[in-house]
């Protein structure tokens, strides 16, 4: 059984790879390489597998999960500029792929301390950048 | 190959665990524990795996599946109060998790009698309570 | 210029008119007349007309409007049973029409005390009960 | 009769009023005042009134309108930073209100030269910043 | 007060004006002029103004309106080819504009016989052809 | 890690199996068997698995994938009549199942020549015919 919570956040970013020339960056990233950046209303989905406990019928308490995702991930990226405000993204390009890997790493590394006793496992992190573009990290 | 049909239903419920105190219920379920309940426009997705038959090109006839899901599940929960109208939910908390397990059990236990000869297998039941909260049971 | 804020709330209700017989109620309201009620994820839109002030560029400060709508309307209907929890709806049928009129009345009667100095006028209250059914009160 | 075309664009911005102190800015705009900005997937709707011509049955040719909106508005704001890339927004706060007024002004001032002979009139510009926040300019 | 009901239908069409040359048709309608046609999941919204009656709290009974719209409009265009199945569209181009005018005409001309005694007036017919393209007829 | 791109296309079709009688066709396909066909706004999702490359942070360059899906699939089915314009669907029924299999076959057979060096693998093709009906082919 898999429970999924859906969150949203707004952020700006610029796709620009330091190791590439300006012409290569523009060719590869197109408008996403514009110098002052742009932004998105992102969607973040966090999926958890487990069994509902016998008395409350929940894989994981909603409030506990929301609070954890807020502290561990959303507070760092909501209403932020990904290139400037998120130190892990200063040296790498803030694509949906890299952002998904980062959010998964944040949640995964803090997971056991928080949910180790609940038997609920982090199953998937999915980020939607636009209706046309999304990325999932499983495990 | 997996075919998914999407249905909707409206229902009310109250999250309240009989074995917990009032204070524990309120702390765990928050506003969902309000005494007279509240409700949702739920989404139910039923996924079926199989191969399209050679002449009609369908994993399962649409009308047959819709009729089955209607009789077996939707008729019991649409425009219902889950706590009072669904006898299987009288003793357990009608969370998205427990509701998903129940609908999966209903469909699964009647599946073979209905679709045993079609080669179509029930693959997944997914229920969306709100845009923020959903649950899947696979198998 | 018109600014619109969109909110959501979950509530349960039962459509049943005291002056009608059971058969008339069932004929008129169908499944919405089921004895234990059902529920919806409602959407509430509040539209405000005015001119953006010269320094902050807003028709009305977002936080002030959200706080006002929360206190004046959402707190009374979110995660509530409309028939039992909202005293104004105890004697009338909680249709989308009556609910829209009520929310408009709540907001309108408290509007001037709150926004009289801002030059922002309440323009429209719109409630969506399901994707298929919505109602607007203007003025 | 009113025809509406719906477009989307992605942009970043920061809400900050030069005439206010830092504390006032933070109090008024909250997270939207974060120093490095954030961004959104915006929706732009352009509505046109008129009568369908007798042979093609259109209030205005789709391609002509899309090309006009692209040249006149979207090219200036899509994948842009509103504060830095749009000169009209350098001195005013790029709220949904001010952005809607600006896009309306752009389209309106170039309208007659383009559509004066078609009998189609610009009726409304609507911008959605998020699902929760939108603004319309009519006329 | 305005009540809006939202319906959907699927139809195919080809945009081709008999009085234009093939080259003009292709230039004007682009891919929509492809010889064998294409299709859409259309949305139809019907808006009604009036006051809720005193006992049931509805501007118009839902079932009565749905039945009327089904008989008068949807039955003629759902799962149909607009160019071939709808005789009123055989001589004119089935654009969203012309289709909206036709549906409005159908509903409007039968309205009084059906709703004359209810005090409910037809206010608006809106058709969405795609998420990018919609048309409204008011009155 | 899985990246998903979402595209849309509009097409018409008629569900009719040559080996069945008219009565059987009507019974099996209902309104979808209407003689002149109907149509849909389809959604096509293409999912790719792989690792983001070290410098640009993408599983696969967006532009390259979009161009490939356009040339290989969308150009053949967008604004087309599936029964008449797509030769592979002339002898089989253009259900969501058969269309999904076909698009998957198109993409899969041309994949290695295009993406063999990128390490990105085609993971899933998903087609949504309506909000109620979708189909996925994995592998």
């Amino acid at each position: 059984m898999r429970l999924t919570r859906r969150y949203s956040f707004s952020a700006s970013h610029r796709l620009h790879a330091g190791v590439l020339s300006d012409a290569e960056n523009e060719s590869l990233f197109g408008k996403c390489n514009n110098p002052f950046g742009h932004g998105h209303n992102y969607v973040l989905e966090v999926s958890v597998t487990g069994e509902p406990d016998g008395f409350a019928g929940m894989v994981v308490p909603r409030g506990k999960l929301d609070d954890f995702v807020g502290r561990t991930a959303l507070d760092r990226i909501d209403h932020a500029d990904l290139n400037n405000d998120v130190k892990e993204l200063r040296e790498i390009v803030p694509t949906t792929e890299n952002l998904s890997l980062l959010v998964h790493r944040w949640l995964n590394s803090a997971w056991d301390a928080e949910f180790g006793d609940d038997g609920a496992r982090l199953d998937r992190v999915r980020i939607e950048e636009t209706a046309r573009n999304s990325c999932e990290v499983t495990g």
Side-chain angles (χ1 to χ4, degrees), chain A:
Chain A
M1 157 167 290
R2 184 162 83 159
L3 177 85
T4 297
R5 298 286 284 175
R6 189 178 174 99
Y7 309 93
S8 58
F9 63 100
S10 293
S12 53
H13 72 164
R14 182 201 181 194
L15 301 189
H16 183 87
V19 300
L20 300 178
S21 71
D22 283 2
E24 287 169 323
N25 268 297
E26 198 185 327
S27 156
L28 186 59
F29 296 119
K31 293 183 297 184
C32 300
N33 184 242
N34 283 353
F36 293 109
H38 60 283
H40 301 289
N41 300 323
Y42 288 89
V43 170
L44 166 64
E45 286 182 7
V46 176
S47 296
V48 178
T49 52
E51 294 305 315
D53 67 291
F55 60 97
M58 297 195 288
V59 167
V60 70
R62 303 290 179 271
K64 187 177 175 185
L65 181 58
D66 293 354
D67 175 70
F68 172 73
V69 173
R71 264 186 295 117
T72 313
L74 292 173
D75 285 356
R76 306 182 190 185
I77 51 180
D78 186 26
H79 282 77
D81 179 79
L82 300 178
N83 304 59
N84 285 293
D85 287 318
V86 183
K87 71 170 192 300
E88 292 90 338
L89 293 174
R90 278 187 202 141
E91 304 300 312
I92 57 172
V93 187
T95 54
T96 323
E97 286 94 327
N98 279 338
L99 183 57
S100 302
L101 283 172
L102 177 62
V103 170
H104 182 268
R105 182 148 54 85
W106 282 342
L107 297 180
N108 198 42
S109 64
W111 191 264
D112 284 347
E114 199 92 16
F115 297 101
D117 299 338
D118 291 312
R121 292 172 301 284
L122 178 64
D123 180 64
R124 194 187 61 152
V125 166
R126 179 176 171 272
I127 290 186
E128 227 179 278
E129 191 183 82
T130 67
R132 294 197 46 162
N133 198 59
S134 65
C135 193
E136 299 159 68
V137 179
T138 307

